[in-house]
């Protein structure tokens, strides 16, 4: 056993897993451990947020935390090492293996571990297939040194240990006696310490991603980190609106003062820079997933939305009665529960609406089960978990699952599996005092029902105008799957059940 192999076996690295079906990245929300803490196999060490949910990650090793590779709030690609654990802390001090050393040790112990080749292990799903692409070794260019001075730093950022340079470092040129200000603006010069062998700026992957999200070109940033590495602070400084851009590196205090004075003197009274009152937030997590899903749905499925106003006085009376029913004790009973039940009963009467459009195979997939999605507004954004096989559940069972679903969503603990496989959805916009809306379909689903606010309104009842509790329902459906007649019948049946809730028995 080589020294590198022993070191790699002692320091075990834990990579960001695929915590959902095919996800490529996750943001580290919170670390529960710090370097030096003792951990055990199965202990939760951090919480990450994907585009679908927040998930806690357990560590598969016993030992002492050696290093946390990323801080909180950093988005990390799946397969990237996020934490290393010293599995034999009693063996004395030792350096953790470099990325190159780890790869060599893994190759040396491949036969011992006898791990099957193929896709990387993930928490949910199958992960990404390994790439078979191999890079061809670069040919040395005439007159170009084989090992530039910045190569060790660049290699470390790329995840490889750089070899020790054979030649002595070249002495830096002497500084000029006096600074020379160019006559025309120029970009900041990139020194050997601030760029790789091909002039590529030096920055760690999270910093590169931050610059990409903010639209900043790394080549225009003057690095302040050790060895010419661009830091997060450098990127944020470049993104902030500058009062007076410097021509030769850091601005002189007098130059800044002069520029500010000039700007104040030339600005018109009452005009304020709009950029000073704006905030830019990177699009990520649930917001990013929601945006992508809504755009895909709106421009893929032809939406049709129909509306109906209905007297729900009897339904509201039934809600109060169910709250006193012993069979519903301890369960959350509200109007949404009966709206959900009415939706399910109507779908049973018109099962053709419970379908999906398969564009790839040019097929319509009719489903003999109903996974009822409930749109939930959470601190993390809008999510749509669903109740599996909701169509076969009794009213108490539906109430229990609805309560658990809402509570889990508010705690931010909804799993990706709970949000997969929905067939239809309900969105309760009435809780915000809104009459109704034109909801957008959840991708892959056929219909979504918007339940508006219940209000006391004048209504003709038994030939007389009287105050009744009234609401407006809106049903959006995929016109590829549902014709206008079928959609209208579905919405009319939902309203009929809510107007006379005894139809839950006669139709159910």
């Amino acid at each position: 056993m080589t020294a590198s192999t022993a070191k790699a076996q002692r320091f075990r690295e834990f990579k960001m897993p695929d915590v959902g079906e095919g996800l490529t990245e996750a943001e580290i929300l919170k670390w529960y451990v710090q370097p030096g803490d003792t951990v055990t196999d199965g202990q939760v060490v951090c919480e990450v947020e994907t585009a679908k949910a927040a998930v806690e990650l357990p560590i598969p090793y016993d030992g002492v935390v050696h290093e946390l590779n990323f801080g909180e709030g950093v988005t990390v690609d799946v397969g990237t090492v996020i934490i290393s654990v010293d599995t034999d802390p009693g063996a004395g001090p030792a350096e953790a293996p470099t990325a190159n050393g780890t790869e060599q040790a893994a190759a040396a112990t491949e036969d011992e571990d006898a791990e099957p080749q193929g896709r990387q292990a993930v928490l949910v799903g199958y992960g990404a297939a390994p790439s078979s692409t191999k890079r061809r070794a670069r040919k040395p260019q005439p007159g170009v040194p084989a090992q530039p001075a910045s190569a060790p730093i660049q290699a470390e950022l790329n995840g490889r240990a750089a070899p020790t340079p054979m030649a002595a470092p070249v002495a830096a040129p002497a500084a000029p006696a006096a600074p020379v200000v160019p006559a025309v603006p120029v970009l900041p010069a990139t020194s050997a310490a601030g760029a790789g062998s091909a002039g590529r700026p030096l920055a760690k992957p999270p910093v590169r991603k931050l610059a990409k999200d903010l639209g900043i070109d790394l080549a225009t940033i003057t690095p302040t980190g050790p060895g010419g590495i661009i830091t997060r602070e450098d990127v944020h400084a470049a993104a902030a609106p500058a009062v007076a851009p410097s021509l030769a590196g850091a601005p002189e205090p007098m130059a800044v003062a002069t520029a500010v004075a000039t700007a104040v003197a030339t600005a018109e009274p009452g005009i304020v820079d709009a950029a000073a009152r704006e905030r830019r937030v990177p699009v990520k997590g649930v917001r990013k997933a929601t945006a992508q899903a809504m755009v895909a749905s709106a421009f893929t499925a032809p939406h049709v939305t129909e509306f109906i106003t209905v007297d729900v006085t009897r339904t509201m009376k039934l809600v109060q009665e169910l709250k006193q029913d012993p069979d519903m004790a301890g369960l959350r009973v509200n109007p949404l529960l009966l709206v959900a039940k009415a939706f399910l009963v109507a779908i049973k009467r018109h099962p053709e609406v419970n379908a999906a459009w398969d564009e790839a195979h040019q097929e319509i997939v009719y489903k003999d089960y109903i996974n009822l999605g409930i749109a939930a507004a959470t601190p993390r954004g809008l999510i749509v978990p669903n109740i599996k096989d909701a169509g076969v559940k009794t009213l108490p069972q539906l109430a229990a699952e609805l309560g658990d679903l809402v509570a889990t969503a508010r705690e931010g603990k909804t799993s990706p599996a709970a949000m997969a496989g929905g067939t239809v959805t309900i969105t309760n916009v009435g809780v915000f005092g809104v009459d109704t809306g034109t909801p957008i379909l959840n991708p892959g689903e056929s219909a979504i029902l918007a339940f508006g606010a219940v209000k006391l309104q004048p209504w003709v009842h038994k030939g007389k105008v009287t105050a009744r509790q009234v609401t407006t329902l809106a049903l959006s459906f995929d016109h590829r799957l549902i014709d206008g007649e079928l959609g209208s019948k579905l919405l009319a049946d939902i309203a009929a059940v809510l107007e006379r809730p005894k139809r839950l028995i006669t139709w159910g």
Side-chain angles (χ1 to χ4, degrees), residues 133-349:
T133 304
K134 296 184 178 179
R135 292 181 179 267
R136 183 178 301 172
R138 294 186 179 180
K139 297 181 180 180
Q141 299 294 329
V144 179
Q147 183 66 33
S150 63
I153 299 174
Q154 183 67 54
E156 180 183 353
L157 294 175
N158 291 340
R160 300 185 297 272
T164 305
M166 299 300 294
V170 180
V180 179
V181 179
V184 294
V186 296
L187 293 176
T190 304
S191 63
S197 58
R200 187 185 183 196
L202 302 183
K204 294 184 178 180
V207 178
R208 291 186 183 278
K209 187 176 188 307
L210 174 63
K212 181 180 179 181
D213 293 339
L214 296 179
I216 303 298
D217 185 0
L218 289 175
T220 64
I221 300 178
T222 301
T224 62
I229 297 177
I230 297 174
T231 65
R232 295 178 65 88
E233 290 72 19
D234 295 336
V235 176
H236 285 299
V243 178
S246 172
L247 297 179
E252 294 290 338
M254 286 298 296
V256 174
T258 304
V260 173
T262 303
V264 173
T266 57
E268 297 183 13
I271 296 180
V272 181
D273 184 12
R277 297 181 294 167
E278 297 175 348
R279 293 182 297 110
R280 291 180 176 268
V281 179
V283 180
K284 56 185 179 180
V286 174
R287 175 53 57 193
K288 182 177 181 179
T290 301
Q292 293 173 342
M294 293 299 97
V295 170
S297 176
F299 292 98
T300 300
H303 284 57
V304 173
T305 304
E306 295 185 340
F307 308 89
I308 190 169
T309 302
V310 58
D311 177 6
V312 293
T313 304
R314 293 185 179 93
T315 292
M316 299 303 292
K317 182 179 179 181
L318 178 58
V319 169
Q320 299 303 319
E321 293 175 353
L322 289 174
K323 288 182 178 180
Q324 308 301 322
D325 193 313
D327 292 335
M328 304 296 288
L331 299 175
R332 184 181 179 87
V333 179
N334 54 25
L336 178 62
L337 173 63
L338 294 185
V339 171
K341 193 63 176 177
F343 196 10
L344 295 172
V345 168
I347 292 175
K348 285 183 179 180
R349 287 170 59 84

Side-chain angles (χ1 to χ4, degrees), residues 309-314 455-471 499:
T309 302
V310 58
D311 177 6
V312 293
T313 304
R314 293 185 179 93
K455 297 180 178 180
L456 200 63
Q457 296 182 13
W459 193 264
V460 178
H461 178 65
K462 295 181 179 180
K464 296 181 180 179
V465 177
T466 183
R468 303 286 289 182
Q469 291 177 296
V470 177
T471 190
E499 184 177 13

Side-chain angles (χ1 to χ4, degrees), residues 1 4-12 85 87 97 105 109 112-113:
M1 181 182 297
S4 61
T5 302
K7 187 179 295 184
Q9 290 180 346
R10 173 179 174 181
F11 290 92
R12 305 301 298 271
V85 176
T87 60
T109 58
E112 299 176 11
D113 295 338

Side-chain angles (χ1 to χ4, degrees), residues 50-131:
T50 69
K52 295 183 178 181
V55 181
E56 293 181 334
L57 298 183
I59 193 78
Y61 315 120
D62 293 328
V64 174
V65 177
H66 177 76
E67 183 181 11
L68 304 181
N69 291 18
F70 299 93
E72 295 176 354
V74 178
T75 300
V76 182
D77 291 336
V78 170
T80 304
V81 176
I82 59 175
I83 182 176
S84 60
V85 176
D86 184 354
T87 60
D88 190 12
E95 295 182 359
T98 61
N100 191 37
T102 302
E103 292 173 3
Q104 294 175 353
T109 58
E110 185 176 7
D111 294 337
E112 299 176 11
D113 295 338
E115 292 183 359
Q117 298 295 325
R119 299 191 175 189
Q120 175 189 338
V122 297
L123 294 185
V124 179
Y126 299 96
S131 173

